[in-house]
C-alpha cells in the first residue's frame, strides 16, 4: 500500500511540477523525471522507474546523470528479467569502462546469465564480483544464484558450501538452501 501511495504521489509530482514551475520548465522537467525515476527505483517499483528514466534520457543532456539513469534502468531490467538485458549490460560496460558501478555491473551480468540458464557464464561473472561491495539483499541473491549455478554444473562441493552459508545467514533463502543442500547430500 505504501508503495502505491508513493507511486501515486511521485506520479502526481512528475505531472504537476513542470506546470507549477513554468519559467524554467525546459530545465527542470528532465530533472523531475530523473528524481521520479530514482524514487521509483529506490522503492523497487522497477517498471515505473524504467519509464521515468527512459523519458529523462531522451530529454536530458547531462552526461553524468544520463549514465546514472541508464545504470538504474539496467538494474531494473535485470530484476524484471527483461529480454536483451545481457547485451545491454555488455554495451553499458563498453560505453562506460570506468564507472563506480563496475562491481554491480559484474553482479548484474552474472545474474542475467543465471536467469537465462547460462550457468558457466554466471559463475564466471559472479567470480569477478566483490561481494563486500553489494548490499545484504544482493549478497543473499549472489550466494543463492552462485550456489544454484554450481549445482547445475555438478560442482556439488562448492554448491554445498554456499548453500550451508545461506542456511546459516539468509532468512529469505534458508528453506531453499536446506532443500538443495539435502539434495546434494542425496546425490553424493
Amino acid at each position: 500500500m505504501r508503495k502505491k501511495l508513493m507511486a501515486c504521489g511521485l506520479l502526481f509530482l512528475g505531472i504537476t511540477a513542470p506546470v507549477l514551475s513554468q519559467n524554467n520548465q525546459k530545465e527542470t522537467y528532465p530533472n523531475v523525471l530523473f528524481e521520479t525515476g530514482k524514487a521509483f527505483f529506490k522503492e523497487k517499483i522497477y517498471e515505473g522507474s524504467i519509464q521515468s528514466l527512459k523519458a529523462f534520457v531522451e530529454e536530458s543532456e547531462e552526461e553524468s546523470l544520463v549514465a546514472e539513469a541508464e545504470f538504474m534502468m539496467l538494474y531494473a531490467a535485470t530484476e524484471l528479467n527483461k529480454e536483451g538485458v545481457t547485451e545491454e549490460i555488455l554495451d553499458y560496460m563498453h560505453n562506460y569502462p570506468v564507472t563506480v558501478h563496475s562491481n554491480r555491473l559484474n553482479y548484474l551480468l552474472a545474474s542475467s546469465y543465471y536467469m537465462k540458464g547460462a550457468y558457466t557464464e554466471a559463475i564466471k561473472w559472479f567470480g569477478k564480483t566483490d561481494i563486500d561491495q553489494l548490499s545484504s539483499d544482493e549478497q543473499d541473491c549472489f550466494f543463492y544464484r552462485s550456489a544454484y549455478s554450481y549445482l547445475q554444473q555438478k560442482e556439488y562441493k562448492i554448491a554445498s558450501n554456499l548453500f550451508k552459508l545461506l542456511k546459516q545467514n539468509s532468512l529469505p533463502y534458508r528453506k531453499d538452501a536446506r532443500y538443495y543442500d539435502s539434495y546434494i547430500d542425496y546425490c553424493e
Side-chain angles (χ1 to χ4, degrees):
M1 182 68 180
R2 185 176 144 225
K3 286 184 180 181
K4 286 183 182 179
L5 286 174
M6 176 136 179
C8 289
L10 290 171
L11 185 59
F12 178 75
L13 176 67
I15 293 170
T16 59
V19 173
L20 296 174
S21 61
Q22 290 178 0
N23 53 349
N24 284 334
Q25 182 177 359
K26 191 115 176 126
E27 293 174 6
T28 61
Y29 183 65
N31 292 338
V32 170
L33 289 170
F34 179 80
E35 291 302 324
T36 301
K38 187 176 177 181
F40 281 149
F41 179 80
K42 285 182 178 180
E43 290 296 320
K44 298 183 180 184
I45 305 170
Y46 293 126
E47 282 292 345
S49 175
I50 290 171
Q51 290 175 5
S52 294
L53 293 170
K54 188 180 260 188
F56 166 78
V57 168
E58 292 170 2
E59 296 275 332
S60 181
E61 295 176 7
E62 292 184 55
E63 192 173 317
S64 64
L65 287 181
V66 167
E68 185 68 19
E70 288 175 349
F71 170 77
M72 286 188 281
M73 287 190 301
L74 284 176
Y75 195 104
T78 303
E79 289 295 314
L80 296 172
N81 199 16
K82 295 265 188 187
E83 190 173 322
V85 72
T86 303
E87 293 75 21
E88 290 176 26
I89 295 168
L90 289 167
D91 287 345
Y92 185 94
M93 292 169 97
H94 177 75
N95 293 335
Y96 304 102
V98 179
T99 174
V100 296
H101 300 299
S102 293
N103 190 61
R104 277 213 167 75
L105 288 166
N106 292 338
Y107 166 74
L108 292 178
L109 191 55
S111 293
S112 71
Y113 281 124
Y114 164 84
M115 288 183 226
K116 289 168 58 171
Y119 300 114
T120 302
E121 285 297 308
I123 290 168
K124 172 184 163 185
W125 287 96
F126 281 130
K128 294 181 180 185
T129 304
D130 181 357
I131 192 161
D132 293 329
Q133 293 182 17
L134 300 176
S135 72
S136 60
D137 288 345
E138 291 169 333
Q139 287 178 6
D140 284 346
C141 286
F142 172 93
F143 279 119
Y144 178 78
R145 292 171 180 174
S146 294
Y148 190 83
S149 296
Y150 280 111
L151 175 64
Q152 293 304 308
Q153 296 300 105
K154 298 188 182 342
E155 298 273 349
Y156 295 130
K157 182 124 178 110
I158 298 169
S160 180
N161 289 337
L162 292 171
F163 283 127
K164 281 179 174 61
L165 279 172
L166 284 166
K167 284 192 314 189
Q168 294 171 356
N169 302 314
S170 173
L171 189 58
Y173 292 104
R174 186 167 288 151
K175 287 181 183 177
D176 290 345
R178 280 186 193 136
Y179 172 81
Y180 287 119
D181 197 35
S182 297
Y183 174 77
I184 291 168
D185 288 342
Y186 171 78
C187 289
E188 293 181 320

